[in-house]
Amino acid sequence: MALAEAGARGRLLRWPRLLLFGDSITEYSFQENGWGTYLAERLVRKCDVLNRGISGYNSRWAKVILPRLIPGNTSADSIVAVTIFFGANDSALKELNPKQHVPLEEYTANLKSMVQYLKSVDITADKIILITPPPLQESAWEKACLAKGEKLNRCNGTTGQYAQACVQVARECSTDVIDLWTLMQKDQDFSSYLSDGLHLSAKGNSFLAAQLWSRLENKLSALPSLLPYWRDVDHTNPEASLL
């Protein structure tokens, strides 16, 4: 059978999508043992896990981008979940990092705006997961800053205010939330969750992956595998199984 004819006869294969939207902590999530990799491995042949992490970005810029990632004509049924993971850059200290800093009130409004946009394109609240910034280990991050000729440009107390705002937005908008800032600090030595005081270590990636999977497993593990198991394909007439 010619490929064009097969294409005309068969249904278009569309993988459902899980969108990971955030800053560098999301961008790096597809590295070895990353939290995004963990999800992709468990959802292979069930849905595509799309990494839309953009290093250095804040919620102000994210709000502008989101409609370009999920335009209004997107089929809401094709989106199984969206994570929104900003705040680590927003919470940078204004006097030392004015380019990335976003005031707390604006950060709150930006998160609400993104959630409201998703709802406006029929992505329901139960498909949206907000993630707070993780805690900041100041001494380790100060070393990273000094290595670049900069001063310490973040502090954990300020990051905590942004985390609390994220939790409040989730409560008001009826979405799920993972409060990394609080959860990781239940361990007295939370620095082990971080590679440089800000970004996630292997342990931190594993921790976030487990938190996310506990929320997604019931929803997504039941998704059917796309295309039949190879032993179930009729090798004498594969079109009958595959189209």
Side-chain angles (χ1 to χ4, degrees), residues 173-211:
C173 296
S174 302
T175 71
D176 204 345
V177 64
I178 298 175
D179 183 0
L180 277 188
W181 191 85
T182 298
L183 290 169
M184 285 184 169
Q185 289 186 95
K186 289 182 178 179
D187 186 334
Q188 289 186 341
D189 184 22
F190 70 88
S191 63
S192 61
Y193 291 116
L194 305 166
S195 63
D196 58 2
L198 175 68
H199 300 95
L200 301 183
S201 64
K203 182 179 177 181
N205 273 280
S206 178
F207 183 86
L208 176 53
Q211 292 291 328

Side-chain angles (χ1 to χ4, degrees), residues 1-242:
M1 179 185 294
L3 288 178
E5 183 182 350
R9 282 186 51 192
R11 293 171 296 169
L12 185 63
L13 281 170
R14 293 186 183 276
W15 262 243
R17 293 177 291 162
L18 165 58
L19 183 75
L20 311 180
F21 187 37
D23 53 35
S24 57
I25 305 176
T26 298
E27 181 175 327
Y28 301 160
S29 73
F30 271 24
Q31 293 179 348
E32 185 176 5
N33 298 318
W35 59 272
T37 301
Y38 179 98
L39 296 175
E41 287 176 350
R42 278 149 186 78
L43 294 168
V44 66
R45 287 186 58 190
K46 291 178 177 287
C47 75
D48 284 337
V49 180
L50 303 181
N51 186 333
R52 296 297 181 264
I54 310 153
S55 178
Y57 275 50
N58 56 32
S59 66
R60 179 183 294 161
W61 304 341
K63 183 179 71 170
V64 176
I65 296 166
L66 184 57
R68 299 177 63 194
L69 297 178
I70 305 178
N73 58 3
T74 299
S75 171
D77 292 341
S78 70
I79 304 291
V80 293
V82 178
T83 61
I84 299 177
F85 191 1
F86 290 94
N89 296 318
D90 298 70
S91 59
L93 302 175
K94 182 179 180 180
E95 61 274 17
L96 294 172
N97 191 346
K99 184 165 185 176
Q100 290 180 302
H101 169 79
V102 172
L104 183 61
E105 296 77 12
E106 183 188 345
Y107 169 73
T108 300
N110 291 340
L111 288 183
K112 287 182 180 178
S113 177
M114 286 188 274
V115 171
Q116 289 163 358
Y117 173 76
L118 291 174
K119 290 180 178 180
S120 77
V121 295
D122 298 325
I123 296 173
T124 52
D126 63 306
K127 293 183 177 181
I128 303 169
I129 302 174
L130 301 184
I131 306 174
T132 77
L136 183 82
Q137 213 293 317
E138 293 178 14
S139 60
W141 184 242
E142 185 173 24
K143 289 180 182 178
C145 291
L146 290 173
K148 294 182 288 187
E150 302 172 356
K151 296 180 180 180
L152 177 65
N153 56 23
R154 290 164 170 80
C155 71
N156 192 39
T158 301
T159 302
Q161 295 174 9
Y162 284 70
Q164 292 168 14
C166 181
V167 170
Q168 183 60 33
V169 170
R171 186 177 297 119
E172 293 177 7
C173 296
S174 302
T175 71
D176 204 345
V177 64
I178 298 175
D179 183 0
L180 277 188
W181 191 85
T182 298
L183 290 169
M184 285 184 169
Q185 289 186 95
K186 289 182 178 179
D187 186 334
Q188 289 186 341
D189 184 22
F190 70 88
S191 63
S192 61
Y193 291 116
L194 305 166
S195 63
D196 58 2
L198 175 68
H199 300 95
L200 301 183
S201 64
K203 182 179 177 181
N205 273 280
S206 178
F207 183 86
L208 176 53
Q211 292 291 328
L212 266 172
W213 189 242
S214 71
R215 290 159 168 79
L216 293 172
E217 184 175 13
N218 289 339
K219 299 176 184 178
L220 304 188
S221 62
L223 289 170
S225 289
L226 294 159
L227 296 173
Y229 180 54
W230 71 270
R231 292 187 184 277
D232 297 330
V233 176
D234 181 354
H235 69 282
T236 64
N237 182 19
E239 290 85 357
S241 304
L242 302 177

